[in-house]
Amino acid sequence: MNRRDLLRAATGASLAALGAPAILRRRHRLFADSPTDYSARTIGLIRENPVVDMLCQFAFSDFREEESPPRAVRWLQNPRSFTAEDFARFRASGVTALALGHGASSYEGGVQWAAQWNGFIASRSEWFRRVDSADDLRRTAADGRVGIILTTQDAGHFRSVNDVDTFYRLGQRVAQLTYNTQNRLGAGFLEHRDGGLTVFGGEILKRMESVGMAVDLSHCADQTTMDAIDAATKPPVFTHATARGILPDCRRCKTDESIRALAAKGGVVGIAMIRFMVRPAPPVTVEHVVDHVEHIIKIAGAEHVGIGSDLDMAGLANAVPRSGPIAPTSQPNFDRYNAYFAEDGGAHVDGLNHHRRTFDLVEAMVRRRHSDATIRGLLGGNFIRAMAATWA
């Protein structure tokens, strides 16, 4: 059964359960574990279009689980432990392709990571497809599988420009130039001083564009971000970010200047759903996420915004320890995040800590009276366009 048939079946089941009133209201309850119902328009938009999350961690390790190691670890160690029931949650999310965002810090670690994920995808090819091209992003929207994009949140595994070719052959299609601190390519936003894109960083960027690997600048510091955008000849991206124009005290958010510059090169901003990157204090809801979407539409255009939740499929924003809240990391200058957490210790936006979050986001866009074209671009059309230009 393909994706459209699955969602049609879910819609039909909800109609049968709710009867004529649901038909009259054109709102349907799709998920047995949630009392929320969704408009026919929301359901149709997700059912009929590719949905791409450019930073979804698949599954974080949750050490509260009774079994050890957690499922996220077991799935990679033994892909056959990933069951039809597990896949049903991924498929019901409406997401047709997700980017992993691994934190590769060494060549050897990067090779091991690529081998693990290539093995997992090959072992579960009835459910997953490795995304190598923009056509793969479109295919997964029709064939019932979920596409997995091999991406990293650092470029420390590139020892030389030739390593870019190696990892491209292993399936990597996006690399973030830096994570939070300095590497050989440039500065992350937690670094003491931002010296901009290095000579080596410029060489890596050129080779990435040459082989067809997208340049991600999500965690880069401001000068490094602008230098890389200036050097780019293909669309660079912020796979997961929000707007500093709304949240001026969070330096992890991107400036209006950088968003406009990115858009001028054809790039796209994936909106993150991390609470302290959306609003400076609670409450923080899907409506505040849409505020960031609308800000980017206002300053750069509707064709330059997408989804990059920075959550896993369960809605977790971090690995979960056995007990206690998720503590802020001990990274230097971490206060630049202005981080705060939910009562359960999570960094998620309130009400979006689940696999149904794309439905909630689209429903909020529908309430705000955005056009179908704008929502289709947000869901995946904009990132597919940018990736097609880069991966060609």
Side-chain angles (χ1 to χ4, degrees), residues 81-162:
S81 67
F82 187 92
T83 67
E85 182 180 359
D86 295 323
F87 180 69
R89 178 176 291 268
F90 280 72
R91 186 70 277 174
S93 71
V95 174
T96 61
L98 56 88
L100 296 172
H102 177 67
S105 58
S106 69
Y107 177 86
E108 295 76 15
V111 170
Q112 182 181 25
W113 159 79
Q116 283 181 319
W117 278 103
N118 279 317
F120 176 83
I121 295 166
S123 297
R124 283 299 185 213
S125 59
E126 72 272 34
W127 295 328
F128 296 102
R129 172 199 295 272
R130 193 182 78 183
V131 172
D132 293 330
S133 68
D135 284 342
D136 288 337
L137 290 174
R138 301 183 185 100
R139 290 187 189 106
T140 57
D143 69 7
R145 288 187 283 178
V146 171
I148 295 178
I149 313 168
L150 301 188
T151 76
T152 62
Q153 290 202 70
D154 199 349
H157 57 311
F158 296 151
R159 304 166 302 180
S160 70
V161 292
N162 292 332

Side-chain angles (χ1 to χ4, degrees), residues 68 90 115 224 270 277 295 338 366 380:
S68 182
F90 280 72
T224 299
M277 289 176 58
H295 182 82
N338 291 327
V366 168

Side-chain angles (χ1 to χ4, degrees), residues 192-236:
H192 293 310
R193 295 178 181 85
D194 177 11
L197 188 70
T198 66
V199 171
F200 181 66
E203 293 171 348
I204 291 291
L205 184 151
K206 289 180 181 178
R207 181 61 65 89
M208 288 173 63
E209 291 190 332
S210 175
V211 302
M213 188 182 294
V215 174
D216 181 9
L217 307 172
S218 298
H219 281 254
C220 293
D222 290 346
Q223 189 59 55
T224 299
T225 296
M226 295 303 295
D227 288 351
I229 293 172
D230 184 61
T233 61
K234 294 182 178 180

Side-chain angles (χ1 to χ4, degrees), residues 286-288 290-291 294 363-370:
V286 68
E287 299 296 338
H288 301 113
V290 176
D291 289 343
E294 292 182 337
E363 192 73 2
M365 292 288 287
V366 168
R367 285 195 298 270
R368 301 268 189 111
R369 300 183 181 279
H370 286 280

Side-chain angles (χ1 to χ4, degrees), residues 31 33 58 71 75 82-95 146 312-315 353-356 359:
F31 302 97
D33 61 344
F58 199 83
R71 286 177 296 176
W75 288 341
F82 187 92
T83 67
E85 182 180 359
D86 295 323
F87 180 69
R89 178 176 291 268
F90 280 72
R91 186 70 277 174
S93 71
V95 174
V146 171
D312 75 359
M313 194 49 66
N353 54 332
H354 53 69
H355 68 290
R356 305 176 301 273
F359 285 86

Side-chain angles (χ1 to χ4, degrees), residues 36 38 271-275 278-279 283-294 307 348-354 356-368 370 378:
T36 304
Y38 298 96
I271 297 298
M273 300 180 191
I274 302 299
R275 62 195 296 110
V278 173
R279 200 161 188 257
V284 52
T285 70
V286 68
E287 299 296 338
H288 301 113
V289 175
V290 176
D291 289 343
H292 286 267
V293 173
E294 292 182 337
I307 297 172
H348 57 271
V349 171
D350 295 335
L352 297 185
N353 54 332
H354 53 69
R356 305 176 301 273
R357 58 183 176 268
T358 303
F359 285 86
D360 295 323
L361 177 61
V362 173
E363 192 73 2
M365 292 288 287
V366 168
R367 285 195 298 270
R368 301 268 189 111
H370 286 280
L378 172 73

